[in-house]
Amino acid sequence: MNSPINLAVVLTIMIALTTIGCNGDNSTPDFPQGCAAESYEFNGNNLVLNEVSSKQSLYLFHNISDKNFLINHPITKNPGASAGWASNLSPGNWSALTIDGTATNIGNFEITCSIIGDGKIEYLDCKNVIKTCRFKDPVFNSENTGSYWVAEDKPLNSLLEAIKGRGISW
């Protein structure tokens, strides 16, 4: 039973299992340099961006699912003339959001992930469809501060170029 062939087969299987990621999470995307998976948490199906109170923040969102969905920040108070926060995100694409915590006292910034169609809204579990990172120290000038979608629904390289095109660096 303990022949060299059996031992070789067992060793081959063990090596294969450890190299294909059975001992870790392979679903984490490669974030751009300086962008870390931090300053957020999941609350039920929603993504909550934390620490949105001290300075201008820049977050990236990556659609890791095979579904086209909306990222939205529900407005619970009177929105006034606000255009809203819904943004489409296609499979494999990225979007970038900046939030100026110094301009308003918004605290945590909650985001939903949903599909709208056939007269109904299907809420998705953001934890299963999106990966998020935040740049540590993005640099903004006075013309590009505020809270807005910097670039939406693009492949990563195009997204990073669009961010730089708006005068934001990291």
Side-chain angles (χ1 to χ4, degrees):
M1 237 14 201
N2 290 332
S3 73
I5 294 174
N6 287 342
L7 182 58
V9 168
V10 169
L11 284 174
T12 302
I13 291 171
M14 289 177 61
I15 290 169
L17 289 176
T18 58
T19 58
I20 61 172
C22 289
N23 60 350
D25 179 14
N26 274 347
S27 63
T28 302
D30 292 324
F31 292 132
Q33 185 174 357
C35 199
E38 64 181 21
S39 299
Y40 70 88
E41 63 188 357
F42 292 97
N43 182 13
N45 288 341
N46 299 340
L47 170 67
V48 180
L49 306 179
N50 299 324
E51 299 180 21
V52 182
S53 61
S54 60
K55 61 181 182 176
Q56 189 86 27
S57 299
L58 179 60
Y59 289 89
L60 299 188
F61 307 100
H62 182 215
N63 182 346
I64 58 167
S65 78
D66 61 354
K67 298 176 181 175
N68 189 36
F69 60 88
L70 291 175
I71 301 172
N72 192 19
H73 171 64
I75 299 173
T76 55
K77 297 179 183 174
N78 181 0
S82 173
W85 286 98
S87 178
N88 187 63
L89 191 55
S90 302
N93 277 355
W94 296 70
S95 287
L97 175 70
T98 184
I99 302 171
D100 184 0
T102 63
T104 58
N105 186 16
I106 58 177
N108 291 342
F109 194 87
E110 191 166 355
I111 291 176
T112 62
C113 301
S114 60
I115 297 173
I116 299 176
D118 298 328
K120 63 179 183 173
I121 300 174
E122 175 189 355
Y123 287 98
L124 305 173
D125 188 342
C126 288
K127 188 183 315 178
N128 296 329
V129 297
I130 199 168
K131 293 290 181 184
T132 304
C133 68
R134 181 178 72 101
F135 282 101
K136 280 277 193 197
D137 294 306
V139 178
F140 297 83
N141 60 43
S142 61
E143 289 86 38
N144 60 15
T145 59
S147 300
Y148 57 93
W149 289 106
V150 177
E152 303 172 69
D153 199 23
K154 298 180 179 295
L156 181 57
N157 287 337
S158 297
L159 182 88
L160 296 175
E161 288 302 314
I163 295 169
K164 290 176 187 173
R166 293 193 80 158
I168 301 168
S169 60
W170 54 94

